[in-house]
Amino acid sequence: MNSEQRRKERQAAGALGQPPEIKLNDTFNPFHNDSRFEGGYEILKTVLLLPVMVVRVVVFVTSLLLGYLFTKLALLRAKNVLTSPFPQWRRSLMLPVRLCARVNLFACGFHWIHLKGSPAPRHEAPILVSNHVTFVDPLFLFFKHLPVIVTAYENLNLPVAGAIIKAMQAIAVDRISRESRQSASDAIKRKAMCNDWSHVMIFPEATTTNGKLLISFKAGAFTPGFPVQPILIRYPHVHMDPCWVAEGPVIYWLLFRLMTQFHNFMSVEYLPVIHPTLEETKNPNLFAERVRLTMARAMNTSVTQHTYEDAYMAMEAVRLKIDSASALLEFGEFKKISPFTVKEAKRCLSKFLALDCSNRGAVTYKDYIKAVDLPDCFLLQQVFRYFDRTNSGHINFRQYATGIAFISGHSRFKEVVESAYNFCGGVENLLDETALHRSLRVLMPSVSKQQVHLLFNRIDVNKGGLLRQTDFSSYCDDNPDFLLLFLIGKSSLL
């Protein structure tokens, strides 16, 4: 296909046009743990260390329960635990709990931890930020700093750990709720301003990764405009990667593997305090990005536009038993097209998998026409090429999602739906099968009555025999690519 033909096809998409091209990082999957339990050495080592593991489990559980009891003692008759700072005497009651946390680290094989740099006093850097790799990170930070942490609401209800998190006077947040995120941001600023509180500790990635790169930072830690001290946590390893990610071992298997190693390595580096500029206090995203790049240079790694929404997509991919890398969108970059939500992305993934008849992670043109059950014609070829931006003959999930997000999020989407309904011959807010067949034959002369009948039944969810405009609109909401038949086939629709 020459450039002139390509230009005409892009124009044929009608008033909506083609979605902007975005470059996505195919090199790294930050939510994949690639360590394997295999080989004679690992098996022999595990067998030999089983008695040691039993001792470590006993020590871990005993220390955890002791920490829980000391926490309950520290919280005895405490009021407004999450909103009022503890007096110094009550904070000192948490010292045994912090020591229990260090014992738990020891039981997990972290006998010594390499430290580089030093923590800044609270008045110099009230906020600490760190990369997040596994459940070991907060254990160390709790032992070292007893900070105020930002955590998910559901963590407050965890058995044993929930009480300890409350004793840390955590800031609870629902990451999906905008109101909750705003409330958490206000709480961060309020607690960072007052030296009666401990350091505020935040994992700005808002999820765990494999530590091989830094994903997008949320702005919450940087919105108050206070100096921050970055912390880098690494886990040098040969046989066992302790990262706790979507496509990796469950936490119980990670604990088992940690406790059947001779020793696990961990290094913690404190970087110099970073002060925001005047411009960065007005635009926290600039401050967050400068801190992220500073941390990435110190880690000798790269950055990507993945976000915690991508972690949800990776978990969905694992649930569906597909490669998690194929389901990642890099939401930080993707949202430049449309405010696509995780729910919408999951629904889009389900529809893509329905198109992927061969289960190869890529949809060919033959797969597409088979799935949509419409005739092979020039219009369907154009619809397919709308998604196949590289003219490779197949589309992946990212290409499909890009097109869907652009159409569904377009400001003229509802106008297109109404125009398409009117084109089909909707009279007095009703459309019958004959009118739908007649209008589709204008676009696709080879479409059969049976194909239109099946399409009509998919749209007519109430089985009333007549399509209301609300039925038509609902189907278009769920299947935005359906509108491409009209936008491309009838470019003068708008």
Side-chain angles (χ1 to χ4, degrees), residues 13 26 50 160 229 274 276 295 345 374 424:
D26 295 315
L50 281 177
V160 182
Q229 182 172 35
I274 300 179
M295 293 173 67
L374 290 172
C424 288

Side-chain angles (χ1 to χ4, degrees), residues 368-386:
Y368 187 75
I369 60 174
K370 180 180 178 180
V372 299
D373 195 18
L374 290 172
D376 180 5
C377 60
F378 184 65
L379 175 58
L380 262 293
Q381 292 173 16
Q382 288 181 304
V383 170
F384 183 80
R385 287 172 186 153
Y386 181 87

